[in-house]
Amino acid sequence: MIDRLLLALLLVAAPLAPRAQMPAAPGAANVVPLPALAQRTAQLIPLLNGAGDVAASFAPSFLAQVPEPQIRAISIQLRESMGKAVSIAEIDAVQPNAARIRITFERGIVSMNLAIEQEAPNRIIGLLVTGTTATEASLDAVVTALKAEPGLTGFSFARLDNGPPTASLSLNADRPAAIGSAFKLAILAELIRATNHGERHWDDMVTLDGSPLPGGVYMQKPAGTQMTLREVTEKMISVSDNSATDVLLALLGRDKVEAMLPVIGWRDAARNRPMLSTLDMFKLKGLQGGALGRRWSTLDEAGKRALLASDVTPAPITALDPMLFRDNKPRLLDVEWFASPADLVRTMDWIRRNTGKGPGAEARRILAMNPGVGPAAAANWAYVGYKGGSEPGVISMSFLLQAKDGHWYALSASWNNPVAVIDEGRFIALMSRAVELAVPR
C-alpha cells in the first residue's frame, strides 16, 4: 500500500559525523552552542519560504545527497500543509553544533534536527524533519478541525482497562472507512495468536518461493531467499513494506487472517472478505483502467473470490498501469480495506491484551519501532505503538498508548475523500497534536 505516513515530508539528512549525531549525551543541558547554530536556524525561515541561498547555507556533502531542487520541493510540501514559516519557537542544543529545533508555521509547528559544521563557515550538514503538530488547544478542538475537513472523517479516543474500551471522545467512530496499510494490523494480530500458541516462532525462517510481489525490499529477491519471521514482520509494520506484507499474508493464510477480524473487533468483517493482498489491490485498481476494480465492487464474497482466482492472481505485474497513483487522485476507494475508528481502537486493545508477556511481547516491541509522531509528541508517553496507511483520498492513523502512570489508551482517526486530494500533512499534524493532548494530566 502507498504509505506516506513515515513522514512523507521527511527531509533526508546527509550522513552526520559522529559528533553531530542525535540525541545528545547526558548533560546536554549544559551544552554551550556555537553562535552559528542560532544563525543557521534563523536562516531556515526564508529557505522554508522559498527564498534564501541554499548553496551558501548547506555544506557540499549535504547537497550531494539532497540537492537544491529536492530541498525546494520539500519546502513547498511543508508550506502546502502548514502555511508559511513564521518564527523559531525553540532551539534545544544537544551538542555545540547540533540542536533539536521547532519552527512555527502559520498552521502548526514543525520539529527538526539540525547539525552544522564545527568550523566556519558552519554550513548545515544535517537537517531532518522529525514531526509536525497542529496548534489546537484541546482534543475537542482537534476533533472540530477534523470534522470541518471535506469528505468523511472519523475519530475515537478511548481508555483501555479490563472491559471494552471506554471512549471519551469520538466522531463517526462506528462508521467504516478505507484505512490503507492499517489493515496490516490484522496480519500482525494473526502472528500474535500463532506465536502465543506455539504454532510459529519469531526465529522461524521464511523462504521466498518466487511468487510475484509488490514494491518493497523483497520484490527483487530471488526464490530461495530466507529471512526470519521477525525481520519480515518488522518491515511490514515499521516501514509498511508491501512485499513483506504479501509474504506474510501468503505464509499465514488468507483464511487465518480473515478469521481474526471479528476476534480483534472489526464489526463489519464481511466487507473485508476476501482479504486483499497489497498486490491484489494494485491489480484491481491498475489493470484494464480499473475495470476489474469496478467489477469487484458489484460482487458478493463468492464472486470476489472467483474473480481473484480467474483474473487477478494470474495477471502479470507488467500489465499494471505504470502511472497508477502518480497523479495523486483518488481511485476506486471502494476497493480497499475497511474499518471504523472504533474497530481499530478495539484492535489495539486486543493487541495490548495479547502482548504483555510471552512470545507476543515481541509484537508489542515491533509495533513501537515507528511511533508515527515526532519525538516531542511521543516523549510524554511510556509507550507508543502505531500503524497507519494512506493512498490518494485515504489516510488513517492508529495508536496504542501507555501513560507513565501505567494506564493504557488507544486513539484512531481516518479521513476519506473519493473526489479530491486530502491534506495529509494537516491530518498528520492534527493527530500528532492529539497524541500530545491525550496525555492524562
Side-chain angles (χ1 to χ4, degrees):
M1 199 52 203
I2 296 176
D3 194 345
R4 293 180 288 268
L5 296 186
L6 301 175
L7 291 183
L9 303 177
L10 196 74
L11 179 51
V12 181
L16 306 184
R19 63 178 180 271
Q21 294 289 341
M22 308 279 186
N30 298 319
V31 167
V32 178
L34 295 172
L37 193 60
Q39 296 167 7
R40 289 298 184 192
T41 302
Q43 289 172 3
L44 288 175
I45 299 296
L47 287 167
L48 290 167
N49 288 328
D53 188 337
V54 169
S57 300
F58 291 88
S61 60
F62 186 97
L63 294 174
Q65 295 195 41
V66 189
E68 180 170 350
Q70 186 176 346
I71 294 172
R72 297 296 189 189
I74 293 170
S75 68
I76 290 172
Q77 285 182 320
L78 284 169
R79 292 197 301 277
E80 287 176 346
S81 292
M82 308 296 286
K84 290 184 178 180
V86 176
S87 62
I88 306 300
E90 182 181 10
I91 303 176
D92 178 18
V94 294
Q95 294 176 11
N97 68 318
R100 297 185 183 92
I101 63 175
R102 285 162 61 88
I103 297 179
T104 301
F105 283 66
E106 290 175 321
R107 294 194 293 273
I109 295 174
V110 177
S111 300
M112 302 182 186
N113 288 345
L114 171 71
I116 64 173
E117 297 167 318
Q118 289 273 21
E119 307 297 333
N122 304 112
R123 292 166 297 191
I124 297 169
I125 59 172
L127 185 65
L128 185 71
V129 175
T130 59
T132 61
T133 185
T135 56
E136 275 69 11
S138 68
L139 275 177
D140 284 333
V142 169
V143 173
T144 298
L146 192 61
K147 185 177 181 179
E149 297 293 350
L152 169 65
T153 55
F155 181 93
S156 182
F157 175 64
R159 177 160 166 163
L160 312 179
D161 288 306
N162 294 325
T166 304
S168 59
L169 189 60
S170 62
L171 168 69
N172 297 323
D174 294 313
R175 185 170 176 178
I179 59 172
S181 287
F183 91 95
K184 297 169 187 180
L185 287 170
I187 298 176
L188 181 66
E190 168 56 18
L191 279 164
I192 293 167
R193 186 206 64 78
T195 54
N196 277 342
H197 285 81
E199 298 170 16
R200 298 190 183 275
H201 304 87
W202 293 108
D203 291 323
D204 288 349
M205 299 306 297
V206 179
T207 304
L208 297 185
D209 62 5
S211 298
L213 292 170
V217 296
Y218 303 119
M219 181 181 183
Q220 301 296 334
K221 299 290 185 182
T225 298
Q226 290 192 316
M227 51 276 177
T228 65
L229 185 61
R230 175 185 293 103
E231 176 190 324
V232 184
T233 307
E234 287 176 345
K235 294 289 192 297
M236 178 182 73
I237 296 298
S238 68
V239 296
S240 205
D241 187 280
N242 291 329
S243 63
T245 302
D246 284 11
V247 166
L248 288 173
L249 183 60
L251 176 72
L252 299 173
R254 195 189 304 259
D255 58 333
K256 291 287 186 69
V257 177
E258 290 170 357
M260 285 302 296
L261 297 181
V263 174
I264 61 178
W266 290 27
R267 296 285 171 81
D268 193 8
R271 192 172 183 182
N272 293 284
R273 296 196 304 261
M275 172 65 72
L276 294 172
S277 70
T278 55
L279 186 55
D280 291 336
M281 191 277 297
F282 289 140
K283 287 182 177 180
L284 287 168
K285 290 178 185 276
L287 292 174
Q288 304 171 20
L292 289 179
R294 289 187 288 274
R295 283 177 57 193
W296 176 269
S297 301
T298 68
L299 299 173
D300 61 12
E301 182 179 331
K304 289 177 178 177
R305 292 191 189 277
L307 183 64
L308 280 180
S310 63
D311 292 72
V312 179
T313 300
I317 292 180
T318 53
L320 277 170
D321 178 2
M323 300 307 292
L324 183 64
F325 299 126
R326 295 290 179 87
D327 59 4
N328 201 35
K329 293 180 180 178
R331 183 180 302 211
L332 296 174
L333 295 195
D334 50 354
V335 180
E336 250 274 358
W337 303 271
F338 297 90
S340 69
D343 289 340
L344 292 170
V345 164
R346 286 187 287 268
T347 298
M348 287 302 195
D349 190 30
W350 186 92
I351 290 173
R352 172 188 70 96
R353 293 170 183 269
N354 289 275
T355 58
K357 59 182 179 180
E362 183 68 359
R364 185 181 291 186
R365 179 194 68 81
I366 292 170
L367 191 62
M369 289 177 67
N370 166 26
V373 294
N380 292 325
W381 294 94
Y383 174 90
V384 180
Y386 164 77
K387 189 71 194 81
S390 68
E391 68 163 288
V394 172
I395 193 165
S396 171
M397 298 179 77
S398 296
F399 300 88
L400 177 60
L401 305 163
Q402 186 183 30
K404 292 183 178 179
D405 65 6
H407 290 113
W408 287 88
Y409 302 82
L411 187 155
S412 181
S414 59
W415 181 5
N416 290 180
N417 192 335
V419 297
V421 174
I422 59 180
D423 189 342
E424 292 186 356
R426 172 64 171 161
F427 183 87
I428 293 168
L430 283 171
M431 291 308 102
S432 180
R433 184 61 174 156
V435 170
E436 289 180 342
L437 293 168
V439 177
R441 307 298 178 185

